[in-house]
Amino acid sequence: MKTTTSQEGPAGVGEETETWELRLYIAGQTPKSVAAFRNLKKLCEEHLPGRYQIEVIDLMQHPQLAAGDQIVAIPTLVRRLPEPLRRIVGDLSNTERTLVGLQLRLAKPLTTTEEGSDAR
């Protein structure tokens, strides 16, 4: 799935026509692996329609591929393009955390109350 159509742009960084290359490392069809793929697919359809490529790598079948992206936990999502490379561990169920991790959304700044809570 590699197209360059653009219907809505990311809130974060990058060109709107840029194709995102994502790798999802899993280990078999575990509930977390299935959830991670489902959550990633939904997120891509909502925020990168027509501009993403997902490669799923099952480490049960290809364990040697873990070393290339330095995978130490599964499921792990690796954003290969656009650079810089980013890794997110987990089932990607926290949409906000995943969007910030992929740099599709900027992290929310601390509010005045949060900033000043340690100063007193």
Side-chain angles (χ1 to χ4, degrees), residues 8-20 47-48 51 79 81-84 86 99-107:
E8 73 182 57
V13 297
E15 295 285 328
E16 291 186 14
T17 57
E18 200 168 29
T19 299
W20 286 53
H47 297 277
L48 299 167
R51 300 185 296 122
R79 184 187 80 182
L81 288 176
E83 293 184 347
R86 305 277 298 184
L99 290 173
V100 171
L102 287 172
Q103 295 182 322
L104 279 167
R105 181 174 294 164
L106 299 176

Side-chain angles (χ1 to χ4, degrees), residues 91-106:
D91 65 6
L92 312 175
S93 60
N94 185 330
T95 304
E96 185 67 26
R97 180 176 161 256
T98 304
L99 290 173
V100 171
L102 287 172
Q103 295 182 322
L104 279 167
R105 181 174 294 164
L106 299 176

Side-chain angles (χ1 to χ4, degrees), residues 47-113:
H47 297 277
L48 299 167
R51 300 185 296 122
Y52 66 92
Q53 224 176 339
I54 300 173
E55 181 180 8
V56 178
I57 298 180
D58 188 343
L59 295 179
M60 299 293 279
Q61 297 175 0
H62 306 285
Q64 73 280 7
L65 296 179
D69 278 325
Q70 301 174 349
I71 303 303
V72 295
I74 48 173
T76 294
L77 173 64
V78 177
R79 184 187 80 182
R80 298 180 61 82
L81 288 176
E83 293 184 347
L85 188 137
R86 305 277 298 184
R87 290 183 189 85
I88 302 171
V89 176
D91 65 6
L92 312 175
S93 60
N94 185 330
T95 304
E96 185 67 26
R97 180 176 161 256
T98 304
L99 290 173
V100 171
L102 287 172
Q103 295 182 322
L104 279 167
R105 181 174 294 164
L106 299 176
K108 291 181 181 175
L110 294 175
T111 63
T112 306
T113 305

Side-chain angles (χ1 to χ4, degrees), residues 1-4 19 21 50 52-53:
M1 182 179 311
K2 192 171 186 179
T3 63
T4 56
T19 299
E21 290 184 19
Y52 66 92
Q53 224 176 339

Side-chain angles (χ1 to χ4, degrees), residues 16-50:
E16 291 186 14
T17 57
E18 200 168 29
T19 299
W20 286 53
E21 290 184 19
L22 306 167
R23 273 191 184 169
L24 181 63
Y25 288 89
I26 61 171
Q29 294 292 314
T30 65
K32 277 194 170 187
S33 296
V34 172
F37 180 73
R38 183 181 58 241
N39 292 331
L40 176 60
K41 183 82 174 164
K42 180 181 174 197
L43 186 144
C44 287
E45 286 297 320
E46 289 177 5
H47 297 277
L48 299 167

